[in-house]
Amino acid sequence: MEKLYVIKVGGNILDDPEQLSNFLTAFASISGSKILVHGGGKIASAIGRKLGIEPVLVDGRRITDAETLELVTMVYGGLINKNLVATLQKNGCNAIGLTGPDANIIPAVKRPVQSIDYGFAGDITNPESINSDVLEVLLDAGLTPVFAPLTHDGKGTMLNTNADTIAAALATALAQKYEVELLYLFEKKGVLRDVINEDSVIPNITETKYEQLKNEGIIAAGMLPKLDNAMLALRQGVKQVHICHASAVEALAQGHKFTGTTLSL
Amino acid sequence: MEKLYVIKVGGNILDDPEQLSNFLTAFASISGSKILVHGGGKIASAIGRKLGIEPVLVDGRRITDAETLELVTMVYGGLINKNLVATLQKNGCNAIGLTGPDANIIPAVKRPVQSIDYGFAGDITNPESINSDVLEVLLDAGLTPVFAPLTHDGKGTMLNTNADTIAAALATALAQKYEVELLYLFEKKGVLRDVINEDSVIPNITETKYEQLKNEGIIAAGMLPKLDNAMLALRQGVKQVHICHASAVEALAQGHKFTGTTLSL
């Protein structure tokens, strides 16, 4: 099977022009098929404040009311996505910017209201709902899809969806057709044994070890959703998941070993 | 050759929820290959004002400084484009939202400064620079491209480009591969002999008649760029150009004759 990288880059990288430029140069030079998924919450919050929209977050998740939905549709789907695409084009990468409704690639459902009403937040109920045939057409045409963290409900409404979740769903959906490696890139060197010590990266986590680390309370609470997503993706056919610093892409593009945390079953 | 409709819908339709809904329902039901190009200047101006960005227009063309470029990238490429795509998906049309940098479909150059500095305005130097092969891949996959009026300079910078111009360029570029009809839809019934009389639509304009109407001073100044674009597109292989009210798409979708102005050589 052909190899495919699904790479999610976090907001802290997008905010830093120098890191972003280095990242995009390296990303563009990865040979073969690749997909980029980006966040952008901080930029959305900053522009929202100028428009008088104060961000409301519960457990790190944005409450998306109607005006916040307009905000994130503009900022994620327009401002951030199109500038990333234009920069990748400059670097010789034939990028195409997409969101969930485009070619109906990522259908979702509005999150049911339980204890919290997240508003226009979209949940991907099943990776099988992802329209992977269209993605294959785009990849076969030599294009590099760049996804903003937006989905839709199929009834005409956009939905705000976590970028980590989108990356895992795309990776899983494409695991039938490609040998998929999923990379979560952020500002830390990997999953840390000690959250204040950047040198305490745990190099490998298997399913058994993950249970052990959770039981021992070693993994920081904020990492749990990312790791749960990753483990689920592995069980559904994704070959490897890496959690590492954005600079790891430079090593990857040059065919070198990169440091960080590698998850496998 | 297969038929292809390239349809540009103007800002006044986008601003009116009922007209827009009717238009998108009809557009979605046109059988065969089609491309939509949209504007959105009024919505951009309204959001810009909330952000403290006052629109500056010279002869109906927006002066695009750096912050206006961010504004139109957000509003055209994100807010308007993605909501149009989501609504078309609801209506069963497999739309995909695009801008110039996406798959490098519309390369442009920043307009040279002459008497006026238009800022980040993009000119399409030649329809041959349009990446029509990728468009053909998308159309063959059953997708309906929806273009926001944005291009890029290939050096990492987005550019603001007139939607009429984009529609004419796309139509011309695809005229080698498809039997292209280009429709300019707006709030009037067609090209009017008397600008205040909606019943004075000129049904047919040939190249000879166009020269004659111009010489007689019958065509309103604001229509000249649209008509010049249209005539150029016809000379470069586009089969027909129609200038008509947005509701004409309802007749078109049902296979009926539609009223308005038809331009031919």
Side-chain angles (χ1 to χ4, degrees), chain B residues 71-139:
Chain B
L71 173 69
V72 297
T73 301
M74 290 200 303
V75 175
Y76 300 162
L79 186 63
I80 299 175
N81 190 265
K82 298 311 168 191
N83 279 305
L84 289 176
V85 169
T87 305
L88 287 171
Q89 289 289 348
K90 175 183 82 170
N91 290 325
C93 170
N94 202 359
I96 182 167
L98 299 166
T99 64
D102 295 305
N104 193 28
I105 292 173
I106 319 173
V109 294
K110 188 168 178 289
R111 186 170 305 156
V113 178
Q114 291 176 332
S115 58
I116 297 161
D117 181 356
Y118 285 97
F120 295 100
D123 289 328
I124 302 166
T125 50
N126 189 335
E128 283 174 25
S129 64
I130 301 266
N131 193 345
S132 56
D133 289 348
V134 171
L135 277 171
E136 205 181 358
V137 167
L138 300 178
L139 292 166

Side-chain angles (χ1 to χ4, degrees), chain A residues 4-143:
Chain A
L4 170 70
Y5 291 102
V6 177
I7 299 183
K8 187 260 169 170
V9 64
N12 287 322
I13 310 303
L14 298 178
D15 290 339
D16 178 332
E18 196 186 325
Q19 276 200 72
L20 180 61
S21 170
N22 291 340
F23 166 72
L24 292 173
T25 305
F27 177 85
S29 67
I30 296 171
S31 60
S33 294
K34 52 194 183 282
I35 292 175
L36 182 63
V37 182
H38 63 84
K42 283 188 184 181
I43 298 170
S45 294
I47 293 174
R49 284 202 182 89
K50 286 194 204 172
L51 289 165
I53 304 169
E54 205 52 42
V56 181
L57 293 114
V58 175
D59 295 338
R61 301 237 166 187
R62 190 178 298 264
I63 305 287
T64 310
D65 61 8
E67 63 178 1
T68 302
L69 181 64
E70 292 208 339
L71 172 69
V72 297
T73 301
M74 290 199 304
V75 175
Y76 299 162
L79 186 64
I80 299 176
N81 190 265
K82 298 312 168 191
N83 278 304
L84 288 176
V85 169
T87 306
L88 287 170
Q89 289 289 350
K90 175 183 82 172
N91 289 325
C93 171
N94 201 359
I96 181 167
L98 298 166
T99 65
D102 295 305
N104 193 28
I105 292 173
I106 319 174
V109 293
K110 188 166 179 289
R111 187 172 304 155
V113 178
Q114 291 177 332
S115 59
I116 297 160
D117 181 356
Y118 285 97
F120 295 100
D123 289 328
I124 302 165
T125 49
N126 188 335
E128 283 174 25
S129 64
I130 302 265
N131 193 345
S132 55
D133 289 348
V134 171
L135 277 171
E136 205 180 0
V137 168
L138 300 178
L139 292 165
D140 282 352
L143 297 171

Side-chain angles (χ1 to χ4, degrees), chain B residues 16-65:
Chain B
D16 179 331
E18 197 186 324
Q19 276 199 71
L20 179 61
S21 171
N22 291 341
F23 167 72
L24 292 173
T25 305
F27 177 85
S29 67
I30 297 171
S31 60
S33 294
K34 53 194 182 282
I35 292 175
L36 182 63
V37 181
H38 64 83
K42 283 190 184 179
I43 299 171
S45 294
I47 294 174
R49 284 203 181 89
K50 287 194 202 171
L51 289 165
I53 304 169
E54 206 52 41
V56 181
L57 292 113
V58 175
D59 295 336
R61 302 238 166 188
R62 191 180 298 265
I63 306 286
T64 310
D65 62 7

